[in-house]
Amino acid sequence: TWKQLLDLGSMQDNELHLRATARRPVARVSRASYDALFGMLDAADGAPTATLTGDRGSVTLPVEVADLPDEVVWVPARSFGRGVWADLASPGSTVTLKGASQ
């Protein structure tokens, strides 16, 4: 996980216009992991989504390719719900990633 400059942090409460400029949350995976999930999906179809499931719940996010090791997924820490550690998985735990329907 990582923190983005603009997210759901409490220091941005009541700053709706500033918060509206935040990047959309995405899951980032390696090219090999992406291909294993989605095969040769046409980029013109838009960003596919995947569901991450951990010991505390699940979240579905768009997926992008990044320079990461295989079988690793990165998601923003505080850009959805109550955050990764509250809504998805405890620190250091394993998550599963499955392609979702668009």
Side-chain angles (χ1 to χ4, degrees):
T1 186
W2 76 93
K3 288 196 167 243
Q4 298 189 106
L5 182 58
L6 299 175
D7 58 16
L8 298 177
S10 62
M11 296 298 288
Q12 297 164 48
D13 285 351
N14 300 316
E15 295 290 343
L16 301 180
H17 297 291
L18 176 63
R19 191 171 275 171
T21 66
R23 295 179 190 168
R24 70 183 174 119
V26 297
R28 295 185 176 153
V29 299
S30 70
R31 168 55 65 190
S33 295
Y34 184 92
D35 290 344
L37 282 170
F38 305 110
M40 302 306 266
L41 187 66
D42 186 354
D45 292 336
T49 59
T51 300
L52 288 87
T53 303
D55 62 345
R56 295 183 176 170
S58 297
V59 63
T60 300
L61 295 170
V63 178
E64 293 181 353
V65 173
D67 185 19
L68 293 170
D70 295 342
E71 299 185 17
V72 169
V73 59
W74 271 18
V75 294
R78 287 279 294 136
S79 293
F80 55 86
R82 295 176 298 144
V84 170
W85 291 345
D87 289 345
L88 183 60
S90 54
S93 65
T94 300
V95 297
T96 59
L97 183 66
K98 292 185 180 179
S101 60
Q102 296 195 51

